[in-house]
Amino acid sequence: MFLDRPIAAFRKAKAYRTLCSLVLISVSMPAASQVLRGNCGNPDPDISIAGCTEEIKSDTVDLQSGREMQAATAHLATDYDSRGVAYEKKGLYDQAIADYNQAIALLPKTFTIAYFNRGNAYNNQGLDDQAIIDYTTAISLEPKGADPDFNLGDAYDYRGNAYEHKGLYVEAIADFTMAISLNPGLESAYENRGNDYLHKALYDLAIADFSKVISLDSRNVDSYYNRALAYEHKGLNDDAITDLTKEISLAPTFAGAYDTRGLAYAHNGLYDQAIADYTQEIALNAKDIPLHPVFASQYAGAYSNRGGAYEHEGVIDAAIADYRAALKLDPDMQSAKDALTRLGAEP
């Protein structure tokens, strides 16, 4: 029956912030603290790309002339890095990586932020191993976070995300913990660590982290939802319902919240409320079906769950209709087949 259904996988917390804070970049060497010249580093990526391209031409000439080699090298590296940031903003990750490669080649032992930015570009491409290498290099170059343009807490937070993508939750938790120690107000690190605790069934620790996120941002919908999942795993259905009700007030079109609250209501024997939530979920899933085939299984699950609630209420015709609707969407759903057999009905 639907009460045996595993609790839905939690939503991923938002993992990456924008790169806008990286537009003005300095390097730890003379002249590197100068503000980027012209339009290189402009918040508009197209303007920045054009400006940086011109600066690269100019600084390449200066470098080739042999004049002020140290300053010219720093300027040129910064130009490449800034253009890489602009390319990355546009989603042009290969071009961004090519520019970060140039920046790093010019300053391989001092340009921490370029390693960090290249790690972000790799991460955006799903290349977690390469991202981890770059984040690790950035951390090793700035072990105490001396560069004011490089946030060491962010480096641990982002590397933690890359570890998480690889399923290395112990390593991810260690990095998120380090990020929090460096920046106790880093909301994303608490959120991501809470997700990993949830993965490892450490529900009390997960609840503590999601509660911290909510204390920092009372409108963080992901943490209300994820904390509700942890509560539900602990059998604290009333607490889960409270969090999911708040989640729904903030994000009324998220079907998963209705699904999970419906399950909590059902666990509490409140089948009318469960039916109402599954009905709302079905209505929302119907809108999502054209977007991606994956929604078909969720849609089928909502019908099956509502069928289970109807069955508990003794409304057998409605239960049979919902189990059949589930099978129409997912012909391989064994639980719906078993339910129809139990009720003496044909699929």
Side-chain angles (χ1 to χ4, degrees):
M1 270 227 219
F2 75 108
L3 292 178
D4 297 324
R5 184 178 65 87
I7 292 178
F10 58 82
R11 281 188 295 171
K12 183 70 177 67
K14 61 181 184 292
Y16 306 106
R17 294 174 290 284
T18 63
L19 295 174
C20 58
S21 63
L22 305 179
V23 171
L24 296 179
I25 296 172
S26 62
V27 186
S28 299
M29 59 193 312
S33 62
Q34 295 179 8
V35 176
L36 296 176
R37 295 166 292 172
N39 287 322
C40 187
N42 189 287
D44 183 309
D46 290 318
I47 294 174
S48 182
I49 289 167
C52 291
T53 300
E54 290 304 310
E55 292 292 344
I56 288 168
K57 293 177 183 177
S58 175
D59 287 336
T60 298
V61 171
D62 290 343
L63 187 62
Q64 291 172 343
S65 72
R67 299 190 305 269
E68 299 182 1
M69 291 287 290
Q70 191 176 38
T73 300
H75 286 157
L76 184 57
T78 303
D79 294 337
Y80 275 117
D81 184 73
S82 296
R83 191 172 69 175
V85 170
Y87 279 134
E88 192 163 357
K89 282 185 177 181
K90 290 172 64 67
L92 301 172
Y93 301 121
D94 288 337
Q95 291 94 316
I97 289 167
D99 273 357
Y100 296 141
N101 289 343
Q102 293 282 0
I104 289 167
L106 289 163
L107 300 172
K109 296 182 179 180
T110 58
F111 209 173
T112 309
I113 198 70
Y115 285 103
F116 177 70
N117 288 344
R118 189 174 68 178
N120 291 340
Y122 282 136
N123 222 334
N124 281 318
Q125 291 186 314
L127 301 173
D128 297 316
D129 289 332
Q130 292 93 319
I132 288 168
I133 291 170
D134 273 351
Y135 292 142
T136 300
T137 301
I139 290 167
S140 69
L141 290 175
E142 289 289 340
K144 297 181 180 179
D147 187 340
D149 294 301
F150 172 64
N151 189 317
L152 187 59
D154 277 347
Y156 279 107
D157 188 28
Y158 284 38
R159 188 175 70 174
N161 276 296
Y163 281 135
E164 185 180 272
H165 294 163
K166 290 172 62 65
L168 300 173
Y169 299 116
V170 172
E171 291 84 350
I173 288 169
D175 269 2
F176 295 138
T177 300
M178 181 62 75
I180 289 166
S181 71
L182 291 165
N183 185 355
L186 189 56
E187 179 183 328
S188 62
Y190 289 105
E191 196 167 15
N192 292 327
R193 189 175 68 176
N195 287 339
D196 291 338
Y197 284 142
L198 195 54
H199 257 305
K200 292 180 67 63
L202 299 170
Y203 301 123
D204 289 331
L205 292 174
I207 288 167
D209 272 354
F210 295 135
S211 296
K212 178 63 175 180
V213 175
I214 290 167
S215 75
L216 294 170
D217 178 7
S218 63
R219 298 183 64 82
N220 187 298
V221 294
D222 293 322
S223 286
Y224 282 111
Y225 181 77
N226 291 336
R227 189 172 69 175
L229 291 176
Y231 281 139
E232 199 160 18
H233 273 294
K234 286 174 61 68
L236 301 173
N237 295 305
D238 289 338
D239 292 321
I241 289 167
T242 297
D243 271 0
L244 292 162
T245 300
K246 179 65 175 179
E247 154 91 12
I248 288 168
S249 74
L250 295 170
T253 61
F254 175 51
Y258 294 97
D259 178 81
T260 307
R261 191 174 68 173
L263 183 62
Y265 278 137
H267 281 149
N268 278 353
L270 301 171
Y271 300 114
D272 287 339
Q273 290 95 319
I275 289 167
D277 272 358
Y278 292 137
T279 299
Q280 183 64 31
E281 180 192 5
I282 287 166
L284 291 168
N285 283 337
K287 298 176 183 178
D288 288 333
I289 281 288
L291 300 179
H292 197 283
V294 72
F295 290 111
S297 63
Q298 297 175 13
Y299 200 7
Y303 275 111
S304 181
N305 292 339
R306 191 174 68 175
Y310 277 132
E311 188 177 348
H312 271 285
E313 290 280 80
V315 187
I316 302 304
D317 288 343
I320 290 171
D322 273 356
Y323 290 137
R324 285 173 173 163
L327 284 175
K328 185 175 181 180
L329 289 161
D330 183 359
D332 296 325
M333 182 177 281
Q334 189 61 46
S335 60
K337 293 178 182 178
D338 293 342
L340 289 171
T341 299
R342 182 174 60 248
L343 296 174
E346 293 294 327

